[in-house]
Amino acid sequence: MAFLELRGIGKRFGATVALEGVDLSVETGEVHALVGENGSGKSTLMRVLAGVVSRDAGSILLDGRSFEPRDPGHARLSGVAMIHQELSLCDHLSVVDNVLLGMERTRLGLLDSSEQERIARSALDRLGHGDIDLSVPVGRYPISVRQTIEIARALAVGCRVIVFDEPTSSLTLSDAQRLFSIIDSLRADGHAVVYISHFFDEVRRVSDRFTVLRDGRNAGGGVTKEFTDEQIISMMVGREIADLYPRSAHNPGEVALSLHGLSGMTKPADATIEVRAGEVLGISGLAGAGRTELLRAVFGLDPVKRGRVKLLAHVGPASPAQRWAQGAGMLSEDRKNEGLALGMTVAENTLLTTLPPWVSPGWEARAAQSSIEQLGIKTQGPHQPVHALSGGNQQKVALARLLAHDADVYLLDEPTRGIDVASKEQIYQLIDAVAQRGKAVLVVSSYLPELLGVCDRIAVMSRGHLSPALPVAQWSQESLMHEAVGSA
Amino acid sequence: MKGLKNTIGLVVALAVLYAVFAFMIGENFTSVLTIENMLKNSTIVGLVAVGMTFVIVSAGIDLSVGSMVAFVTVVFAFALERGAGVAMASLWALVAGVGAGLVNGALIVGLRITPFIVTLGTLLMLRGAAKGLSGGNPIYPDNSGWVESLMLTKGGSDALSIPPGVWILVAVAVLAAVALRYTRFGRHTVAVGSNEQAARLCGVPVARIKVAVYSLVGVCAVLAGLVQVSLLTGGDPTIQEGLELQVIAAVVIGGASLAGGTGSIGGTLLGVLIMEVIRTGSSLIGWPNWVQQIVTGAIIIVAVALDQVRHRRAA
C-alpha cells in the first residue's frame, strides 16, 4: 500500500458533481503530478486532502491509517500541507515568526526565541537555504524566497505530504529551477509530493508519475517518462488537439508601434523595436528582465524616462486613457489585482473602457452578450460577477475588453498564465484571428513553446535590453534561453 | 439581483421596526406629526449620506462631514450678518462646502495620504475654522430669506405636509441613484472602489474620480448646511458633532462595504430611515438616551453581520 491513498473520493456542490470515484496514490520519495484542465477537479481533490472541504464519499489512508482532516490546521498537524499559488505568509512578521506561526515555542509564557530559531534554521537547512536571514520581515524577500519559507513552515510542523498548487505561476525561470531542486531534495528526504501544474515541461522535470483528472474522474495516469505530451493532452481534453497553435498566413502592413531607445525609470534600459499591423511579435526573456515594464511604459502605466514611442500616428508618451483613445489596449499579467475588477460583473469589466456617458442597461447587456458569444465565455450571463468564473474564462473577459474596444494595437502580458489548455487554445486562435484582421499584437510570455507557436517574430529582453526581433523560424527554445540569460 | 435582494431585506427590516414601535407606542408614533418629524430629522443625515455613498463605494471615507455642515452654516450666517443678500450668502456657502470637498480630494490624491487621515485632519480644521469665523458663538442673522422656509411645515393640519428640504433630498437622491447606476461616472466610481489598479489600466481617470466624489460630498454638505440653517434660524459652529458616524452607519446598514465597490443610494436612504425610526421610536417609548445608543450600535453590527452571512451563502 502506498503512503498516501485516496480511494473513490466523491464530492458534490449542490447539483454539480465535482469529484466522482477518484483514486490517487502517492509513495514516499515520489513526486506525483496531478494534471487536468481548470474545473477538472484537481483543486477540489486537493482541498479534500487538505481538509478545506469535506468529502461525500471515499476514504483517505495516510501511512496505513485512516485520515480524517477536520480543517486545514488539523491536516497540517497530521502531516499534510498545501503550498498555494497565493502564499499565506504575514509580510510584516520575520522569517522565524512565519515558520513557527501557530506552533510558537514558549518558556515561562514568553517566546523561546533560541528554540524557535533552531527549528526554523533546521527546516531551511533541509531545503538547502540555510542562508536566509531569520530576523528579516518576510515582505522584504522576493516571492521565490517567500515560497521557500512557506515550504519550510510545512517541514517545521513535520509534514510528510506536501501539495504544490501551480507553484511556478509567479516565479521566474531561475527561481523555478531553484524550486525544482527543493522538490528534488524533498523527494530524497522521503516526502510524498503532489504537484499540480499546467506546464508539461515542469511535469516532466519534477514528476515520477502522474494522474490525469477530467470532469471530476480519473482519466489516466502512469509513469511520466513513458508518455508523450500529446498522449497526456488527449487524456486531459478527451480528444486529440491536433495543433494547439493555429497559424494562418499573416500579412504585415504599416508600422503600428515603434519604440526607439526607450527606457523606463528602472527598466527597460534600452528597447528599440517596430511592430507592424497584422503581425504577432513576441517578447521572450526571464521574469524581471523588464518585459512587463516595457509594456507598462508604452501604455502609460509607468513613466518613460528616455527614448521615443510612436503608436499609430501618435508620438510621445501618453496616459492609459489616451492610449485607449488612440486605439491601443493592454492585457495585464496580473489578472486578479490589475486585469479585472473581480467584484464587478462580466459586462462591467468588458465594457469599462468603452462606456458612453449614459449607460443604458439594454446597450450594456447587448454589447456584453456579443463579447460573451464571440469568445465563448462560460458564464450565467453578462451580470454574473467575474470572481465566480474559472481562471480561463476570467482571462477571456479581460481579452474581451480589448475586442469590445476594437483596439488596433494589442499589448498582451502573459495572456495564458494559469489557465487551462482548452482556454489557451482558444486564446491562441483569437490572437491569430486579430492579427489576420490587421491588428498589431505584442505578446510577452515566459512560456517558450507558446511564443514559438503563435509569433511571427520574437525579440528577447535580457537585463533591460531588448534584442532585435528575428523571424520565429530562426529561434529555438534553446537559443531563446541563451539570449535571455545573456550567454549567447 | 444582489442589489434588489438587499433592498427588499432593508424594506422588510424598516417595516418590521416601524410595526413593532407602532404596536408598542400607538398613535403617538403613527401620527402625521411624528412622521413629519422623522422625515425632517432624516434630511440632514440623508443628504450627506447620499454623497458619502459615492465616497464609500469608491473605497474612501469622509470623516469631516459634521464639521463641514457646521462650517457651511457659519459661513452662510456670517455672510448674511455682514450684509450680503441671501443669494450671495448661499453662493458663499456653496464655495465653502465644495471648496472643503475639493481640498479633501486634492489632499488625498496629491499627497497620497489615506482618506481616513486626511479627513480626520480636515474634521478638526473645519471645526476650528467655523469657530474662528463665528467667534465661537452661534450667529443668528435677522432674515435668512427662502433658506428659512426650507424646513417649514404648514403645521396644525391633519394632512402630511412635506417641507421643501425633504423634496430636495428626494430629488438629490434620485439624481444620485441614476448617476451611480447608469452613467460612466458612476461606473468609474465603482471600478475605482472595486479595483483601483484595474481601473487605472482601463484608462479610468482615478484621480479625477476621487476628487469628484469628495467634492460631491461637499455639495451635499452645502444642502445639508442650508437645511440646518433653516432648523436653527442661524449658523452654529458646534452643531452636528458626530454626524459622520451616523452617516457612515446609515451607508453601511444600506449595504455598502467599506472595502469599496458595493453600495446603493436606495440602500443608504433605507439605512437613514431605519436609524431614524429606532431613534424616534425609542425616545417616544421613553427609553433614555443611553439605551438608544446601545440599540443603534447593535443594529449596525447586526446589519453588517447579516450582510456577511448572505455573502458567504452566495459564494
Side-chain angles (χ1 to χ4, degrees), chain A residues 347-376:
Chain A
E348 287 169 339
N349 271 290
T350 307
L351 303 172
L352 194 51
T353 69
T354 35
L355 290 174
W358 293 94
V359 184
S360 91
W363 169 83
E364 184 177 31
R366 275 194 307 278
Q369 191 59 42
S370 99
S371 289
I372 289 169
E373 284 162 16
Q374 193 180 357
L375 278 92

Side-chain angles (χ1 to χ4, degrees), chain A residues 10 32 35 43 72 100 114 154 208 239 243 257 259 266 272-273 275 287 291 309 354 420 448:
Chain A
H32 196 107
V35 294
S43 297
L100 275 291
S114 60
D208 306 299
R239 63 192 157 91
D243 189 358
L257 172 67
L259 313 177
T266 55
T272 299
I273 203 160
V275 190
R291 302 168 304 167
V309 189
T354 35
D420 58 282
L448 300 176

Side-chain angles (χ1 to χ4, degrees), chain A residues 50-67:
Chain A
V52 181
V53 297
S54 60
R55 60 182 185 271
D56 300 335
S59 61
I60 305 179
L61 293 176
L62 181 67
D63 203 6
R65 274 179 302 194
S66 171
F67 176 66

Side-chain angles (χ1 to χ4, degrees), chain A residues 175-460:
Chain A
D175 289 338
Q177 294 302 333
R178 165 193 155 121
L179 173 71
F180 297 153
S181 62
I182 287 178
I183 291 176
D184 287 340
S185 63
L186 290 174
R187 167 173 30 211
D189 229 16
H191 288 85
V193 177
V194 180
Y195 190 92
I196 300 179
S197 176
H198 284 298
F199 298 108
F200 291 120
D201 45 356
E202 289 180 11
V203 169
R204 288 205 179 285
R205 164 66 182 79
V206 300
S207 75
D208 306 299
R209 291 193 303 151
F210 70 99
T211 293
V212 179
L213 294 188
R214 183 174 74 236
D215 299 330
R217 294 158 206 259
N218 285 85
V223 175
T224 310
K225 56 175 177 265
E226 291 170 4
F227 289 82
T228 65
D229 287 357
E230 285 68 30
Q231 285 173 313
I232 301 177
I233 290 180
S234 68
M235 288 179 198
M236 286 168 63
V237 298
R239 63 192 157 91
E240 305 280 335
I241 289 189
D243 189 358
L244 198 53
Y245 306 108
R247 187 187 285 280
S248 56
H250 298 161
N251 298 306
E254 298 286 300
V255 173
L257 172 67
S258 79
L259 313 177
H260 191 84
L262 186 77
S263 63
M265 294 317 282
T266 55
K267 280 179 264 182
D270 178 20
T272 299
I273 203 160
E274 287 186 342
V275 190
R276 293 179 177 274
E279 86 167 333
V280 182
L281 194 144
I283 298 186
S284 181
L286 305 175
R291 302 168 304 167
T292 294
E293 289 82 353
L294 174 69
L295 293 195
R296 295 180 67 87
V298 169
F299 206 64
L301 287 163
D302 288 343
V304 169
K305 195 164 76 181
R306 255 195 316 274
R308 210 178 70 113
V309 189
K310 183 164 182 244
L311 189 130
L312 302 171
H314 310 276
V315 180
S319 71
Q322 289 168 323
R323 285 301 185 218
W324 283 105
Q326 292 166 0
M330 179 164 159
L331 180 82
S332 171
E333 61 165 346
D334 188 345
R335 189 164 63 232
K336 291 198 168 106
N337 293 314
E338 185 175 53
L340 296 168
L342 293 178
M344 295 176 82
T345 66
V346 173
E348 287 169 339
N349 271 290
T350 307
L351 303 172
L352 194 51
T353 69
T354 35
L355 290 174
W358 293 94
V359 184
S360 91
W363 169 83
E364 184 177 31
R366 275 194 307 278
Q369 191 59 42
S370 99
S371 289
I372 289 169
E373 284 162 16
Q374 193 180 357
L375 278 92
I377 299 168
K378 280 184 202 150
T379 167
Q380 287 167 8
H383 301 301
Q384 189 176 27
V386 168
H387 64 71
L389 305 184
S390 72
N393 282 301
Q394 286 182 0
Q395 190 71 344
K396 286 190 225 164
V397 172
L399 260 176
R401 182 187 294 149
L402 276 68
L403 288 171
H405 194 90
D406 197 24
D408 291 315
V409 178
Y410 283 61
L411 307 177
L412 308 179
D413 200 356
E414 303 284 1
T416 63
R417 170 175 287 177
I419 66 174
D420 58 282
V421 173
S423 297
K424 278 184 183 177
E425 188 191 13
Q426 279 173 299
I427 285 174
Y428 298 143
Q429 278 167 354
L430 194 80
I431 291 173
D432 187 58
V434 296
Q436 231 182 0
R437 290 212 312 272
K439 314 291 188 185
V441 185
L442 186 59
V443 188
V444 164
S445 173
S446 299
Y447 191 47
L448 300 176
E450 163 178 300
L451 281 179
L452 293 168
V454 301
C455 296
D456 298 307
R457 291 188 298 151
I458 301 177
V460 179

